[in-house]
Amino acid sequence: MNGADVDTGGGVGGTGVAVIADDHDRGGSPGRGPGRGRHGAGGRGPLMAGLRRRLVKRRIRIRRTRGRRLRRALVVLLALLANLVGAAVVAYHLTKIPEPHPETAMQSTVFVDDHGDYLGRRGPVDRQEIPLSQVPRHVQEAVIAAENRSFRTDTGVSPRAIARAAWATVSGGDRQGGSTITQQYVKNALLSPEQTLSRKAREALISIKLDRTRSKDEILQGYLNTVYFGRGAAGIQSAARNYFGVDAKDLTVSQGAALASVINIPSYYEKAGSDPKVTAKLVDRWEWVLDAMAHSGAITSAQRAGARFPAFRFYPPGDTDGQRQYLIDAAASEAADRLGITEDQLARGGYTVRTTFDLTAQDATAELAADGTEKKTEKKTGEKTGEKTAEEKAADAKAGGKKRAEVKTTGDVRVHTAVVALVPGDGAVRVLYGGADYASQPFNDARDGAVEAGTALQPFSGMKLLAPLTDLTRTAAPTPLRLASAYATAAAHGVYATPYTVAKITRAGRTLYEAHPRTRTAMTRADAGMVAKLLYGRLDAAPATRTGAAGLRTLWQTTYDEHLTLTVALFAEHPAKGKKAALPAPLPYTAGSRSLSVSEGVWSKIVGTAEGHDPAAEPNPGLPTGQTKPILATR
């Protein structure tokens, strides 16, 4: 039976058979229904089948060629990597470690007094180089904990930090930090601080080369001597002085951790100690640094527990001109001469100049002898202006009985006071007060001022004086320093000692100059004894005092014994006004009491008159046998 003989009027089953048979004859698939075979609408069946065949063939080809393609990709990748490595090797070998740029090489010269107390500095940059041996180990470890904890073991670079900085530069994001200590040193001392990919790449190459060719200690020393700490201080030595008033070698654990914490944002943290908000933030970072040090074993748990946030010096500092610059002027001139260089070379050379000055006594002198302007009402000769005090009467008597109150003067009078204190037979200058305000009067009255001597030179009249005092009695207006040197010669039994203000000069821990007294005989011992008789009144009395004057224009008072010579000189002038130059003026009636007050106050401050001090207790090699140097009661 064929499909045509099927009963078309039968049930559902018959009809279904017929349909199926028909579909089969058309090449269709069972169940697809009419029109869905090879010749149905769109011919989708053959297309799908063809696509499947092609995919199968492709899979087969991929499987067969996979190894070949992987080998080709690997070759290309290796070639690219080899080129990159080759380029890096060539760049590494062509890269030279540059010399530090000029700004980094500049240093300042620091001046300290005879006891090491900070006096001031000279130079374009507040920086002094010191060897790493002068930086305590705990300070080194604090900086490492704050800035680069892997410093001792890394290769000089941090790939993660470099990638982060590069992405920030390319994407225009915020600038990123995180450089190693080596990279920071290279950026600060050897390269420019510009934020470019080329500069960053060069920084990395130099850092790697530096790490391979220099020791970690050399790199750390360079970093600590150049990194900026705020307050104008570059380097750990200047930072220690500016923040705590000490040398780097004297920094405590707490102080070292505080300075290490400042490096992160120096322009912000430099205000710590005066700004409560800044101080609070720095304390948090300081504790974080100490915790890291304790964790690494750099400090003990007991040191961590006992650490207290240190007290900072006040910031911003006050006016530094004042009268201390007179001292720095004198010492700088002498120090440059001793080293055979110019003062500009001295200022940029990173020296430490230890002077002979006693800063405490100098400051006390400034309080007693500060220059001032005194208003004087018009007085007529013989006119009584009031009863004088006992002190004023005594001062007038010492000044030769001159009645200064009976001088007719009007207007403003500026009284100049010059004070010199030096060691007889040695020449060390302890006090050199030449004015109260260097900013308004840079001229030093004590060292360079010519003050009319008058009767102050009488004790030397008729003596045969030898160099350098030969023409002393023919000098109408000696400087206070020269007159003090003459009386110091008498105090040293005729031995003249050249005055000096520089005791020692060092640089990077090495001593370049050390002073020794330069003495010679300038008068006979007998003549020195005659001066003593005139001043002492009796040989056993001490100290000796001589008051002299040039009319009513100047007033001198010199006090000396074997340990110290102190000279106070006063003169007055009508200050310059407009185009009118300054003119000499008579001293006011208070000059005698001022001179006496300054002389006695400074003398008691310097010489060992304080309880328990004996001036004869310490020998002085610069003095003749039996003489001693002054004991400073200020220490």
Side-chain angles (χ1 to χ4, degrees), residues 103-136:
E103 292 79 5
T104 304
M106 290 182 184
Q107 301 184 61
S108 64
T109 287
V110 169
F111 297 81
V112 299
D113 81 344
D114 188 49
H115 303 276
D117 292 338
Y118 182 73
L119 181 61
R121 72 173 183 88
R122 287 281 171 87
V125 178
D126 191 0
R127 188 179 77 85
Q128 282 194 304
E129 286 191 4
I130 57 173
L132 192 63
S133 60
Q134 291 187 17
V135 182

Tab-separated table of all heavy atoms in Angstrom, residues 103-136:
chain	number	residue	atom	x	y	z
A	103	GLU	N	72.497	74.238	45.001
A	103	GLU	CA	71.693	74.597	46.161
A	103	GLU	C	71.887	73.602	47.302
A	103	GLU	O	71.887	73.960	48.474
A	103	GLU	CB	70.210	74.670	45.791
A	103	GLU	CG	69.841	75.819	44.862
A	103	GLU	CD	70.187	75.534	43.412
A	103	GLU	OE1	70.628	74.398	43.120
A	103	GLU	OE2	70.025	76.432	42.565
A	104	THR	N	72.080	72.322	46.927
A	104	THR	CA	72.266	71.295	47.941
A	104	THR	C	73.648	71.379	48.559
A	104	THR	O	73.847	71.026	49.719
A	104	THR	CB	72.057	69.899	47.321
A	104	THR	OG1	70.756	69.858	46.729
A	104	THR	CG2	72.156	68.817	48.360
A	105	ALA	N	74.630	71.835	47.786
A	105	ALA	CA	75.996	71.911	48.300
A	105	ALA	C	76.182	73.083	49.266
A	105	ALA	O	77.138	73.107	50.039
A	105	ALA	CB	76.981	72.041	47.137
A	106	MET	N	75.281	74.059	49.205
A	106	MET	CA	75.420	75.219	50.082
A	106	MET	C	75.127	74.852	51.532
A	106	MET	O	74.259	74.042	51.815
A	106	MET	CB	74.460	76.334	49.648
A	106	MET	CG	74.827	76.998	48.343
A	106	MET	SD	73.653	78.327	47.948
A	106	MET	CE	74.256	78.823	46.334
A	107	GLN	N	75.878	75.477	52.412
A	107	GLN	CA	75.665	75.287	53.839
A	107	GLN	C	75.740	76.651	54.522
A	107	GLN	O	76.153	77.633	53.931
A	107	GLN	CB	76.736	74.372	54.432
A	107	GLN	CG	76.802	72.989	53.813
A	107	GLN	CD	77.818	72.121	54.513
A	107	GLN	OE1	77.714	71.841	55.700
A	107	GLN	NE2	78.825	71.696	53.777
A	108	SER	N	75.355	76.676	55.777
A	108	SER	CA	75.500	77.899	56.571
A	108	SER	C	76.557	77.666	57.631
A	108	SER	O	76.912	76.529	57.941
A	108	SER	CB	74.168	78.276	57.233
A	108	SER	OG	73.788	77.270	58.160
A	109	THR	N	77.068	78.743	58.169
A	109	THR	CA	78.034	78.671	59.263
A	109	THR	C	77.333	79.100	60.540
A	109	THR	O	76.661	80.129	60.576
A	109	THR	CB	79.251	79.558	58.979
A	109	THR	OG1	80.041	78.931	57.953
A	109	THR	CG2	80.102	79.740	60.219
A	110	VAL	N	77.495	78.294	61.579
A	110	VAL	CA	76.831	78.528	62.861
A	110	VAL	C	77.837	79.051	63.869
A	110	VAL	O	78.981	78.585	63.932
A	110	VAL	CB	76.181	77.226	63.370
A	110	VAL	CG1	75.728	77.366	64.809
A	110	VAL	CG2	75.006	76.851	62.484
A	111	PHE	N	77.400	80.015	64.656
A	111	PHE	CA	78.221	80.596	65.704
A	111	PHE	C	77.636	80.221	67.065
A	111	PHE	O	76.430	80.325	67.273
A	111	PHE	CB	78.285	82.115	65.569
A	111	PHE	CG	78.937	82.594	64.294
A	111	PHE	CD1	78.216	82.648	63.103
A	111	PHE	CD2	80.266	82.972	64.281
A	111	PHE	CE1	78.807	83.062	61.925
A	111	PHE	CE2	80.871	83.399	63.106
A	111	PHE	CZ	80.147	83.442	61.926
A	112	VAL	N	78.497	79.776	67.968
A	112	VAL	CA	78.073	79.446	69.329
A	112	VAL	C	78.972	80.194	70.308
A	112	VAL	O	80.055	80.658	69.952
A	112	VAL	CB	78.147	77.926	69.592
A	112	VAL	CG1	77.222	77.167	68.653
A	112	VAL	CG2	79.577	77.410	69.452
A	113	ASP	N	78.508	80.316	71.550
A	113	ASP	CA	79.323	81.029	72.530
A	113	ASP	C	80.339	80.087	73.166
A	113	ASP	O	80.490	78.929	72.749
A	113	ASP	CB	78.439	81.735	73.566
A	113	ASP	CG	77.944	80.816	74.669
A	113	ASP	OD1	78.008	79.574	74.511
A	113	ASP	OD2	77.477	81.330	75.702
A	114	ASP	N	81.044	80.560	74.177
A	114	ASP	CA	82.128	79.796	74.781
A	114	ASP	C	81.640	78.501	75.418
A	114	ASP	O	82.412	77.578	75.640
A	114	ASP	CB	82.830	80.658	75.844
A	114	ASP	CG	84.087	79.999	76.369
A	114	ASP	OD1	84.910	79.556	75.545
A	114	ASP	OD2	84.252	79.915	77.601
A	115	HIS	N	80.335	78.412	75.686
A	115	HIS	CA	79.775	77.225	76.316
A	115	HIS	C	78.982	76.373	75.332
A	115	HIS	O	78.342	75.402	75.724
A	115	HIS	CB	78.873	77.629	77.482
A	115	HIS	CG	79.582	78.457	78.509
A	115	HIS	ND1	80.339	77.917	79.512
A	115	HIS	CD2	79.681	79.804	78.652
A	115	HIS	CE1	80.863	78.886	80.255
A	115	HIS	NE2	80.479	80.034	79.741
A	116	GLY	N	79.010	76.746	74.035
A	116	GLY	CA	78.300	75.980	73.032
A	116	GLY	C	76.867	76.400	72.812
A	116	GLY	O	76.156	75.767	72.023
A	117	ASP	N	76.418	77.447	73.477
A	117	ASP	CA	75.043	77.926	73.280
A	117	ASP	C	74.929	78.642	71.939
A	117	ASP	O	75.806	79.422	71.554
A	117	ASP	CB	74.632	78.871	74.416
A	117	ASP	CG	74.492	78.147	75.742
A	117	ASP	OD1	74.303	76.914	75.723
A	117	ASP	OD2	74.584	78.800	76.795
A	118	TYR	N	73.815	78.405	71.260
A	118	TYR	CA	73.610	78.941	69.913
A	118	TYR	C	73.566	80.463	69.921
A	118	TYR	O	72.819	81.077	70.673
A	118	TYR	CB	72.308	78.390	69.341
A	118	TYR	CG	72.000	78.819	67.931
A	118	TYR	CD1	72.701	78.297	66.854
A	118	TYR	CD2	70.993	79.744	67.679
A	118	TYR	CE1	72.401	78.679	65.556
A	118	TYR	CE2	70.684	80.138	66.384
A	118	TYR	CZ	71.393	79.603	65.324
A	118	TYR	OH	71.104	79.993	64.038
A	119	LEU	N	74.391	81.058	69.078
A	119	LEU	CA	74.466	82.511	68.967
A	119	LEU	C	73.767	83.015	67.712
A	119	LEU	O	73.038	83.999	67.737
A	119	LEU	CB	75.933	82.945	68.974
A	119	LEU	CG	76.245	84.436	68.894
A	119	LEU	CD1	75.639	85.163	70.084
A	119	LEU	CD2	77.759	84.660	68.858
A	120	GLY	N	73.965	82.340	66.592
A	120	GLY	CA	73.349	82.752	65.333
A	120	GLY	C	74.041	82.064	64.174
A	120	GLY	O	74.914	81.206	64.356
A	121	ARG	N	73.657	82.422	62.951
A	121	ARG	CA	74.248	81.805	61.770
A	121	ARG	C	74.417	82.820	60.660
A	121	ARG	O	73.804	83.893	60.675
A	121	ARG	CB	73.380	80.650	61.272
A	121	ARG	CG	72.086	81.095	60.613
A	121	ARG	CD	71.334	79.933	59.995
A	121	ARG	NE	70.131	80.380	59.300
A	121	ARG	CZ	70.100	80.755	58.021
A	121	ARG	NH1	71.211	80.727	57.302
A	121	ARG	NH2	68.967	81.164	57.464
A	122	ARG	N	75.235	82.457	59.696
A	122	ARG	CA	75.402	83.223	58.472
A	122	ARG	C	75.381	82.259	57.300
A	122	ARG	O	75.946	81.171	57.380
A	122	ARG	CB	76.756	83.972	58.484
A	122	ARG	CG	76.822	85.166	59.436
A	122	ARG	CD	76.131	86.385	58.837
A	122	ARG	NE	75.987	87.459	59.788
A	122	ARG	CZ	76.905	88.394	60.029
A	122	ARG	NH1	78.072	88.358	59.403
A	122	ARG	NH2	76.673	89.346	60.898
A	123	GLY	N	74.738	82.662	56.214
A	123	GLY	CA	74.723	81.816	55.036
A	123	GLY	C	73.391	81.855	54.333
A	123	GLY	O	72.368	82.192	54.931
A	124	PRO	N	73.357	81.462	53.030
A	124	PRO	CA	72.122	81.521	52.240
A	124	PRO	C	71.145	80.408	52.572
A	124	PRO	O	69.948	80.537	52.373
A	124	PRO	CB	72.632	81.381	50.797
A	124	PRO	CG	73.896	80.584	50.935
A	124	PRO	CD	74.517	81.010	52.239
A	125	VAL	N	71.631	79.295	53.080
A	125	VAL	CA	70.789	78.136	53.386
A	125	VAL	C	71.129	77.668	54.788
A	125	VAL	O	72.294	77.535	55.137
A	125	VAL	CB	71.034	76.989	52.379
A	125	VAL	CG1	70.188	75.772	52.741
A	125	VAL	CG2	70.734	77.438	50.965
A	126	ASP	N	70.095	77.406	55.566
A	126	ASP	CA	70.327	76.944	56.935
A	126	ASP	C	70.566	75.438	56.909
A	126	ASP	O	69.678	74.631	57.149
A	126	ASP	CB	69.122	77.282	57.816
A	126	ASP	CG	69.422	77.056	59.293
A	126	ASP	OD1	70.555	76.650	59.617
A	126	ASP	OD2	68.530	77.277	60.127
A	127	ARG	N	71.830	75.066	56.612
A	127	ARG	CA	72.179	73.650	56.500
A	127	ARG	C	73.634	73.456	56.881
A	127	ARG	O	74.488	74.265	56.537
A	127	ARG	CB	71.954	73.140	55.074
A	127	ARG	CG	72.104	71.636	54.910
A	127	ARG	CD	71.836	71.227	53.473
A	127	ARG	NE	72.974	71.527	52.618
A	127	ARG	CZ	74.028	70.716	52.454
A	127	ARG	NH1	74.078	69.562	53.087
A	127	ARG	NH2	75.007	71.056	51.653
A	128	GLN	N	73.881	72.394	57.626
A	128	GLN	CA	75.236	72.007	57.979
A	128	GLN	C	75.386	70.504	57.837
A	128	GLN	O	74.590	69.744	58.380
A	128	GLN	CB	75.573	72.412	59.416
A	128	GLN	CG	75.908	73.879	59.573
A	128	GLN	CD	76.547	74.145	60.926
A	128	GLN	OE1	75.977	73.827	61.950
A	128	GLN	NE2	77.725	74.717	60.931
A	129	GLU	N	76.399	70.088	57.101
A	129	GLU	CA	76.636	68.659	56.935
A	129	GLU	C	77.348	68.090	58.157
A	129	GLU	O	78.252	68.706	58.706
A	129	GLU	CB	77.477	68.396	55.686
A	129	GLU	CG	76.710	68.560	54.394
A	129	GLU	CD	77.487	68.049	53.196
A	129	GLU	OE1	78.595	67.490	53.393
A	129	GLU	OE2	76.998	68.207	52.069
A	130	ILE	N	76.914	66.911	58.558
A	130	ILE	CA	77.582	66.195	59.634
A	130	ILE	C	77.697	64.730	59.236
A	130	ILE	O	76.889	64.223	58.457
A	130	ILE	CB	76.811	66.308	60.972
A	130	ILE	CG1	75.374	65.788	60.832
A	130	ILE	CG2	76.830	67.736	61.486
A	130	ILE	CD1	74.618	65.714	62.130
A	131	PRO	N	78.706	64.022	59.735
A	131	PRO	CA	78.814	62.594	59.421
A	131	PRO	C	77.707	61.800	60.111
A	131	PRO	O	77.170	62.229	61.140
A	131	PRO	CB	80.201	62.229	59.958
A	131	PRO	CG	80.487	63.240	61.017
A	131	PRO	CD	79.823	64.508	60.558
A	132	LEU	N	77.403	60.649	59.550
A	132	LEU	CA	76.340	59.820	60.120
A	132	LEU	C	76.679	59.396	61.542
A	132	LEU	O	75.778	59.155	62.360
A	132	LEU	CB	76.113	58.586	59.245
A	132	LEU	CG	74.860	57.763	59.539
A	132	LEU	CD1	73.607	58.597	59.286
A	132	LEU	CD2	74.833	56.488	58.702
A	133	SER	N	77.955	59.335	61.856
A	133	SER	CA	78.377	58.943	63.204
A	133	SER	C	77.907	59.932	64.265
A	133	SER	O	77.848	59.591	65.448
A	133	SER	CB	79.897	58.809	63.268
A	133	SER	OG	80.532	60.042	62.934
A	134	GLN	N	77.569	61.162	63.851
A	134	GLN	CA	77.083	62.164	64.797
A	134	GLN	C	75.556	62.192	64.883
A	134	GLN	O	74.994	63.046	65.568
A	134	GLN	CB	77.611	63.551	64.415
A	134	GLN	CG	79.109	63.703	64.614
A	134	GLN	CD	79.582	65.130	64.395
A	134	GLN	OE1	78.803	66.071	64.392
A	134	GLN	NE2	80.878	65.299	64.211
A	135	VAL	N	74.919	61.268	64.186
A	135	VAL	CA	73.455	61.142	64.265
A	135	VAL	C	73.154	59.884	65.071
A	135	VAL	O	73.497	58.780	64.646
A	135	VAL	CB	72.813	61.035	62.872
A	135	VAL	CG1	71.295	60.947	62.990
A	135	VAL	CG2	73.218	62.220	62.006
A	136	PRO	N	72.554	59.992	66.239
A	136	PRO	CA	72.269	58.802	67.054
A	136	PRO	C	71.516	57.739	66.269
A	136	PRO	O	70.704	58.042	65.397
A	136	PRO	CB	71.412	59.363	68.197
A	136	PRO	CG	71.784	60.803	68.284
A	136	PRO	CD	72.058	61.238	66.879
